[in-house]
Amino acid sequence: MPHSEWHWDQGPIGRLVKTGYITLRREVERMLRPVGLTHTQWSALGVILHFPGITPSQLEQILMIERPSVTSLMNGLESRGLIVRRSSPEDGRSKQIFLTDAGKKLAEETQHFAVVVEERVKQGMTEDEFETLKALLIKLVKIFAQP
């Protein structure tokens, strides 16, 4: 029996959400290529910019990546001179993550990429559609969120 043509827009909701996310991510990655950052590195720099002194476990939760991936990510950013890890003043065993001057400059220069992509999305739909999309995505996440 021959396979029919693939229609990405007729799949289950999970596939549609993933396709939407990957589409947005690829657009951000295209903008990041000239500065040599991956999407995950860029996301981490943005989080650290807004939450100086964040811990690796907090970063793990926000970025939704596993602990070994956070360690690898931090090692890469540290080797590029974009972050530093310091012992917490309250608990010397715990590390806090801070941007270096170079990391802060790069984060500040690239943080608007999310706005650029979001504006492109807004151009393709009405304001009501955009707000409805956001509300429905939030509702979707809350359905499966841990209590």
Side-chain angles (χ1 to χ4, degrees), residues 87-105:
S87 294
S88 167
E90 294 86 29
D91 178 3
R93 297 169 296 166
S94 178
K95 296 291 184 188
Q96 292 180 293
I97 307 162
F98 297 90
L99 295 177
T100 61
D101 289 342
K104 184 175 182 192
K105 182 177 186 282

Side-chain angles (χ1 to χ4, degrees), residues 67-100:
R67 183 61 168 225
S69 297
V70 171
T71 301
S72 176
L73 174 64
M74 293 302 98
N75 289 342
L77 292 173
E78 193 168 46
S79 71
R80 288 186 59 183
L82 300 174
I83 64 151
V84 293
R85 290 179 267 198
R86 298 186 193 130
S87 294
S88 167
E90 294 86 29
D91 178 3
R93 297 169 296 166
S94 178
K95 296 291 184 188
Q96 292 180 293
I97 307 162
F98 297 90
L99 295 177
T100 61

Side-chain angles (χ1 to χ4, degrees), residues 8 16 42 57 80 83 87 89 109-110 112 122 127 142:
W8 66 267
L16 290 172
W42 171 74
S57 58
R80 288 186 59 183
I83 64 151
S87 294
E109 289 174 352
T110 59
H112 74 281
K122 287 179 177 180
E127 186 177 339
K142 287 181 176 180

Side-chain angles (χ1 to χ4, degrees), residues 10-55:
Q10 296 177 9
I13 190 69
R15 187 175 310 275
L16 290 172
V17 170
K18 180 179 180 179
T19 301
Y21 168 73
I22 290 172
T23 301
L24 298 176
R25 181 179 174 136
R26 285 183 179 162
E27 187 60 23
V28 171
E29 288 171 341
R30 184 187 63 74
M31 292 186 280
L32 289 170
R33 236 173 261 125
V35 297
L37 287 177
T38 66
H39 186 272
T40 305
Q41 290 169 332
W42 171 74
S43 297
L45 290 178
V47 170
I48 301 164
L49 178 67
H50 294 291
F51 301 102
I54 192 168
T55 66

